[in-house]
């Protein structure tokens, strides 16, 4: 029946509630919100308001009432337009945010239009000279009030829409402009009342009243803003907790179910538990934004080592303990070293896994990157392996030497094998 | 962070149970207080190490939060406290802070061994600098834990490979400027020892590897620990701040 209804909404629609639209609005978003709610083109609603405005300003009153009572909503009011104006973006910390894409020039147009309409209205209305004189100040006051109200709306909107810093000055200017307009209008009324002579004293009195009100209401206002910010903090906390709960629910409960189902398969249980633990640790201890979502190709040594170890661990079911000291970006040499290290881990997991966890140590010291992979298995003698078996020779030693590094295999005193890989970083990397 | 089954660096799987190995007589006893907010975990540890006849460990008290811990430790004066890092009321660091006089006691010092499920750098460095004599993760085996307790009781430090990695990392950046006092820097030997711990070697294996005695290894590790605690030089602070560890 309308754009809103045509929107691809799956399932039963929630009961519709009237919201003012924060997207693509000109003034208060009332017309757009109403249009969305009623399923009419926006322009019709706007025309109706303008028409009503001509009827002794009824439209303006109505509009103001709507503006005052109807809450501001975001998106959803009209399905076709919002994407161009507001887009959701994933911010660095992984949270989804709405980002204003374009400063709303519509508002300026709207204000100009309003002034023009008001002029026409004033020009048309046939009033006695006395009353008519008051109209201009009234229009000024109205424009000022609209400007400031609109401002408050924006402040509310800014809670869920990130607005650029640049616009803060604009908002300030707008507030000041609004206040000036209202002041001018009120002063105009006084002047017209013939008390122009007393203007000075009237302004003084007004100022005094203002100061008094500020003094009386000030502490209360401060307390209120403090309460508000506290409440906002609590809400953020709650949101974070919900995020944690969601993660725990998704992955941990899932894994626990799998573990229960595979209870008799000890290896599988161990693998699941370790994979889950690794995942949870990454999620809990990694700095914001990294590793919380599935990362793509690793770009640093530490990431690469951990990734390799995790993959080998998952595949072979042998715990691999990783210690990384220092970090550096991956270049092609280090990447080759990582591949060699991965081969070494696979070997260690396959042949030395019974003796306990495989230990991987990576260190960046100056330009040298050192990786050691050790297991506590039965040990292994390179010379005793037939010459046609290329696994270790080619994929570990050969690969390292081709790239200008060295690889050493040696038996550890108390059993087990240690593979040491040493590589100089490429020159050009800083 | 993928090594939860991390064994501590002191005891390889091939090693005999700790007490006999670390030099004390068979009749040695150590009085231990368990501080952990999970009752299940305390019960588990108690079951694992609590048979005093076999292990020589006597659990004389338990506590579930910081206040309780301080009260129990002051009342029972154990030789070793197994301290969880995450505790209600300020965490393990707070317990360490409030028990500082007990640690400094010359007659019968109380020593702390941090035992945590977390191996995040900020937890590890935090409690070590707070004065704990060692750090092991909760996945440690009972034998290794008993061994670690005795080592700590004797005043030695117990490092896990990961902890050794953190320490190396912490000192790596401080070693560059030559203006530093010697106290703040690790000697070549200490670095070597740390590196071997980080590579998963047991103290005994390190001794063999470097042709030194186990006692020497222990003294090197203790020296590292002392330097880590004393090291309030701006480099370390800067390093920690850069990584948001403090």
């Amino acid at each position: 029946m309308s754009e809103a209804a045509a929107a691809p909404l799956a399932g039963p629609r929630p009961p519709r509630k009237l919201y003012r639209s924060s997207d693509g609005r000109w003034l208060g978003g009332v017309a757009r919100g109403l249009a969305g709610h009623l399923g009419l083109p926006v322009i019709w609603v706007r025309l109706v308001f303008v028409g009503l405005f001509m009827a002794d300003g009824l439209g303006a009153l109505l509009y103001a009432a709507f503006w005052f009572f109807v809450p501001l909503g975001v998106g959803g009011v009209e399905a076709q337009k919002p994407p161009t104006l507001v887009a959701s973006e994933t911010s660095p910390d992984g949270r989804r945010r709405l980002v204003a894409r374009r400063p709303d020039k519509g508002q300026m147009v709207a204000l100009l239009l309003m002034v023009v309409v008001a002029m026409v209205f004033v020009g048309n209305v046939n009033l006695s000279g006395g009353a008519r004189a008051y109209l201009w100040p009234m229009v000024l006051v109205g424009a000022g009030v609209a400007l400031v109200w609109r401002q408050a709306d924006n402040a509310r909107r800014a809670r869920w829409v990130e607005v650029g810093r640049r616009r803060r000055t604009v908002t300030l200017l707008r507030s000041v402009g609004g206040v000036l307009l209202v002041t001018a209008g009120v002063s105009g009324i006084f002047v017209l009342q013939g008390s122009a002579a007393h203007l000075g004293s009237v302004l003084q009195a007004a100022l005094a009243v203002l100061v008094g009100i500020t003094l009386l209401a000030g502490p209360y206002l401060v307390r209120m803003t403090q309460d508000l910010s506290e409440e906002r903090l609590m809400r953020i906390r709650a949101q974070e907790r919900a995020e944690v709960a969601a993660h725990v629910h998704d992955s941990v409960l899932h894994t626990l179910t799998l573990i229960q189902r595979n209870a008799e398969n000890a290896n599988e249980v161990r693998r699941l538990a370790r994979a889950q633990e690794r995942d949870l640790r990454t999620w809990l201890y990694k700095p914001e934004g990294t590793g919380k979502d599935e990362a793509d190709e690793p770009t640093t040594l530490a990431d690469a080592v951990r990734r390799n170890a995790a993959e080998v661990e998952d595949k072979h079911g042998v715990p691999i303990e990783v210690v990384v000291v220092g970090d550096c970006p991956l270049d092609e040499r280090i990447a080759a070293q990582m591949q060699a290290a991965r081969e070494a881990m696979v070997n260690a997991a396959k042949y030395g896994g019974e003796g306990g966890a495989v230990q991987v140590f990576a260190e960046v010291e100056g330009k040298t990157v050192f990786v050691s992979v050790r297991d506590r298995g039965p040990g292994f003698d390179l010379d005793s392996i037939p010459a046609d078996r290329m696994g270790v020779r080619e994929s570990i030693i050969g690969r390292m030497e081709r790239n200008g590094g060295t690889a050493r295999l040696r038996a550890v005193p108390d059993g087990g094998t240690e593979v040491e890989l040493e590589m100089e970083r490429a020159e050009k990397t800083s | 962070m993928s090594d939860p089954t991390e064994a501590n660096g002191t005891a390889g799987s091939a090693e005999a149970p700790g007490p006999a190995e670390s030099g004390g007589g068979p009749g040695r006893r150590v009085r231990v207080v368990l501080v952990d907010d999970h009752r299940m975990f305390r019960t588990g540890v108690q079951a694992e190490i609590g048979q005093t006849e076999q292990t020589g460990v006597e659990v004389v008290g338990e506590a579930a939060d910081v206040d309780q811990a301080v009260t129990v430790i002051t009342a029972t004066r154990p030789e070793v406290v197994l301290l969880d890092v995450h505790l209600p009321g300020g965490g393990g660091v707070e317990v360490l802070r409030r028990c500082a006089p007990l640690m400094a006691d010359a007659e019968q010092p109380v020593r702390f061994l941090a035992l945590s499920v977390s191996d995040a750098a900020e937890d590890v460095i935090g409690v070590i600098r707070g004065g704990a004599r060692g750090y092991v993760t909760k996945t440690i085996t009972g034998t290794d834990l008993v061994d670690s307790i005795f080592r700590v009781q004797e005043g030695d430090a117990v490092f896990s490979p990961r902890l050794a990695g953190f320490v190396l990392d912490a000192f790596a950046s401080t070693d560059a400027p030559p203006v530093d006092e010697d106290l703040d820097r690790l000697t070549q030997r200490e670095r070597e020892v740390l590196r071997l711990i980080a590579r998963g070697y047991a103290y005994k294996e390190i001794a063999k590897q470097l042709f030194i005695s186990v006692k020497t290894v222990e003294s090197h590790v203790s020296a590292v620990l002392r330097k880590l605690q004393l090291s309030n030089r701006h480099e370390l602070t800067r390093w920690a701040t850069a990584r948001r560890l403090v």
Side-chain angles (χ1 to χ4, degrees), chain A residues 23 155 181 191 206 238 256 271 288 302 312 315 322 342 382 427:
Chain A
D23 303 329
L181 277 177
V191 172
L256 286 177
R271 193 188 66 75
E288 285 281 300
V312 175
K315 209 162 171 186
V322 185
R342 190 196 164 100
L382 187 62
E427 293 301 319

Side-chain angles (χ1 to χ4, degrees), chain B residues 111-142:
Chain B
R111 295 197 162 106
F112 288 83
L113 175 60
L115 177 62
S116 172
V117 74
S118 152
D119 49 18
E122 60 264 43
D123 294 337
V124 176
I125 301 285
V127 292
I128 292 295
R129 299 200 68 193
R133 301 292 301 178
Y135 193 105
V136 292
T137 44
K138 281 185 177 175
T139 43
I140 188 172
T141 64

Side-chain angles (χ1 to χ4, degrees), chain A residues 90 93-94 283 289-296:
Chain A
T90 311
D93 60 354
W283 199 79
T290 56
K292 296 215 169 181
D293 295 314
E294 196 53 50
D296 34 13

Side-chain angles (χ1 to χ4, degrees), chain A residues 277 281 322 363 376 418 420, chain B residues 4 117 195 199-201:
Chain A
E277 170 161 358
R281 272 177 193 285
V322 185
E363 185 177 21
R376 292 170 185 276
E418 176 154 20
E420 296 175 341
Chain B
V117 74
R195 225 172 250 144
R199 279 157 74 170
Y201 283 68

Side-chain angles (χ1 to χ4, degrees), chain A residues 41-228:
Chain A
V42 192
I43 191 73
W44 288 18
V45 182
R46 286 191 175 133
L47 282 176
V48 167
F49 269 116
V50 171
L52 285 176
F53 185 67
M54 294 306 175
D56 284 345
L58 184 64
L61 276 178
L62 212 65
Y63 197 96
F66 270 118
W67 197 346
F68 194 77
F69 288 113
V70 177
L72 190 65
V74 70
V77 181
E78 196 179 51
Q80 34 163 225
K81 264 235 171 133
T84 59
L85 297 163
V86 171
S88 80
E89 248 180 23
T90 311
S91 53
D93 60 354
R95 233 168 270 128
R96 216 156 253 282
R97 283 221 179 95
L98 289 167
V99 177
R101 274 285 161 78
R102 200 185 68 183
D104 37 359
K105 284 180 193 132
Q107 195 203 359
M108 287 300 136
V109 179
L111 278 179
L112 278 178
L113 216 72
M114 212 176 74
V115 171
V116 170
V117 171
M119 280 179 177
V120 173
F121 173 64
V122 170
N124 284 352
V125 173
N126 194 9
L127 286 169
S128 59
R132 185 173 179 155
Y134 284 108
L135 258 168
W136 279 108
M138 290 304 280
V139 167
L140 277 182
V141 170
V145 166
L147 206 58
V148 173
W149 271 26
R150 176 61 213 255
Q151 190 56 50
D153 259 7
N154 270 8
R156 206 187 300 170
R157 183 174 173 229
R159 273 193 201 162
W160 63 85
V161 179
E162 216 172 33
V163 181
R165 179 145 305 182
R166 185 183 62 81
R167 304 197 57 204
R168 201 164 293 168
T169 48
V170 178
T171 55
L172 196 74
L173 275 180
R174 265 157 52 171
S175 304
V176 171
V179 170
L180 280 181
L181 277 177
V182 173
T183 317
V186 172
S187 315
I189 290 173
F190 278 117
V191 172
L192 284 171
Q193 273 178 343
S195 53
H198 309 298
L199 183 63
S201 50
V202 166
L203 278 180
Q204 270 174 18
L207 201 68
V209 169
L210 264 178
V211 168
I213 287 174
T214 318
L215 280 179
L216 285 176
Y220 177 73
L221 281 176
V222 168
R223 174 104 48 88
M224 204 160 73
T225 46
Q226 275 170 352
D227 284 354
L228 267 177

Side-chain angles (χ1 to χ4, degrees), chain A residues 274 277-278 281-282 285-288 306 309-310 313 319-327 355 357 359-361 363-365 370 372 374 376 410 412-415 418 420, chain B residues 1-7 12-14 86 117-120 122-123 139 161-162 164-166 168-169 172 191 195-202 204-205 208-209 243-244:
Chain A
R274 283 192 61 81
E277 170 161 358
R278 192 171 50 238
R281 272 177 193 285
T282 313
Y285 297 128
K286 273 269 183 86
E288 285 281 300
R306 290 203 185 94
E313 188 176 284
I320 297 187
E321 296 165 1
V322 185
V323 174
V324 182
V325 174
D327 203 355
Q359 256 138 348
V360 176
F361 171 71
E363 185 177 21
V364 182
E365 205 182 21
F370 174 84
S372 130
R374 72 161 290 183
R376 292 170 185 276
R410 52 192 199 82
V412 179
D414 280 332
E418 176 154 20
E420 296 175 341
Chain B
M1 310 277 165
S2 63
D3 49 348
T5 59
E6 185 165 51
S13 42
H86 297 287
V117 74
S118 152
D119 49 18
E122 60 264 43
D123 294 337
T139 43
R162 178 166 283 272
F166 289 146
L168 276 174
D169 226 0
R191 289 181 72 84
R195 225 172 250 144
L196 286 171
I197 292 176
R199 279 157 74 170
Y201 283 68
K204 223 166 78 181
E205 292 168 324
K208 250 183 219 170
Q209 182 93 26
R243 290 169 191 232
R244 294 186 294 166

Side-chain angles (χ1 to χ4, degrees), chain B residues 206-225:
Chain B
I206 296 171
K208 250 183 219 170
Q209 182 93 26
L210 299 178
F211 304 108
I212 53 179
S213 74
V214 176
K215 271 280 158 226
T216 317
V217 175
E218 285 174 357
S219 68
H220 281 314
V221 175
S222 290
V224 171
L225 187 67

